[in-house]
Amino acid sequence: MSAAGTTLRSFSGALAMGSLLLGLALIGVQFWATGQGQQGPGIGSVISQVVAGLVALALQTYADRNRDRNGGWAVVGVLVVVLGSLWFWWW
């Protein structure tokens, strides 16, 4: 595997984990906001971010275990899921 491929897989792994951590942080914010009598980010955005993080992590796991063309497509999937969720929910 080339150095560029390894770097791209590392970058997509960081994005996948960051997406999941963002989803977990949103769970905490939602509970905190509800406890303060506020609306918070909303259940829809919280669930969507957690699902996006889990899908990205599953794709990244597949990409790490399969260093072939399908693994490369899984990396592309991670990028699409993470960047798509950030664009849709945070733009």
Side-chain angles (χ1 to χ4, degrees), residues 4-19 49 52-53 55-61 63 70-88:
T6 301
T7 302
L8 185 59
R9 286 184 199 279
S10 299
F11 178 68
S12 66
L15 285 178
M17 185 55 71
S19 179
Q49 188 62 52
V55 168
L57 198 61
L59 285 169
Q60 183 63 37
T61 301
N70 291 335
W73 282 111
V75 168
V76 172
V78 169
L79 295 175
V80 167
V81 167
V82 171
L83 297 176
S85 71
L86 290 175
W87 177 75
F88 185 76

Side-chain angles (χ1 to χ4, degrees), residues 27-63:
I27 291 171
V29 168
Q30 182 65 41
F31 277 117
W32 177 81
T34 303
Q36 299 295 318
Q38 302 293 324
Q39 184 177 7
I43 298 297
S45 63
V46 172
I47 291 173
S48 298
Q49 188 62 52
V50 170
V51 169
L54 290 173
V55 168
L57 198 61
L59 285 169
Q60 183 63 37
T61 301
Y62 182 84

